[in-house]
Amino acid sequence: MTTHEAKSLANLIKYYTFLSSLVIWYDVLLHINVVSKSLQSITTDVSDAICMIRKTKEYFEKSRTEDKFKSYLINSKELASELELEDMTIGGTITARRWKKPKQFTYKGEDEPVRDPKQRYKVEFYFHLLDIIIASLDERLTQLKSHSDSFDFLYDISSLKDIPRDVHSKKFSKLSTILQDDSKDLNSDKLCDELKVLSTLVTPGIGLAETLKFIE
């Protein structure tokens, strides 16, 4: 029984469709992994994270094209040739849910199913996969932007000494509200004064990590 299952799986992974999916997934995970490792660096702040995620999102948005899809198929065929696969055509069962446009009017009929295997694979696997990735990155980007709106003026503490007090008064007030807890309320004016003093002591452009070390 185990031998039969192993042979069946071995035959399945020899399908060109499966091989193409591996090539696509490799590129996707490679980009995600590089960004993930960079985000875990102690020297990466929120502004850096926003920039990296935005560029990653743009990459996948630009990848959602016919030309990029064809380039993946070309790479898959080269790999298939090296593995000596005989069948290099897209086919087999696609497990991803079929994408449908929302109905606008009741008198319109349902979308016609994509019958061409290659086109179906592109829409139901490749485009579907990229849509999920882009939506996920967009959600993360929105969250980080929200945090950045509250903390961005602290990225370079030294610059605070040259900025008029009234410019950052609202930001300090918002920050004190975020940081306060039940046991102790932070006064935004006092926080502003303390950070202004700190801005005269730290080296310009050292970043938050080094600033925290200075405070310690």
Side-chain angles (χ1 to χ4, degrees), residues 74-106:
I74 292 173
N75 293 336
S76 301
K77 286 186 177 181
E78 292 176 355
L79 182 57
S81 297
E82 294 178 8
L83 297 175
E84 298 181 349
L85 298 186
E86 296 180 359
D87 187 2
M88 295 189 186
T89 58
I90 293 293
T93 302
I94 306 298
T95 57
R97 183 175 59 188
R98 180 154 54 92
W99 177 81
K100 292 183 179 181
K101 292 182 180 179
K103 295 180 181 179
Q104 301 294 329
F105 303 98
T106 55

Side-chain angles (χ1 to χ4, degrees), residues 11-27:
N11 290 329
L12 286 174
I13 64 177
K14 290 180 180 179
Y15 279 116
Y16 176 65
T17 304
F18 180 82
L19 191 63
S20 299
S21 300
L22 285 182
V23 171
I24 293 171
W25 266 113
Y26 175 80
D27 184 62

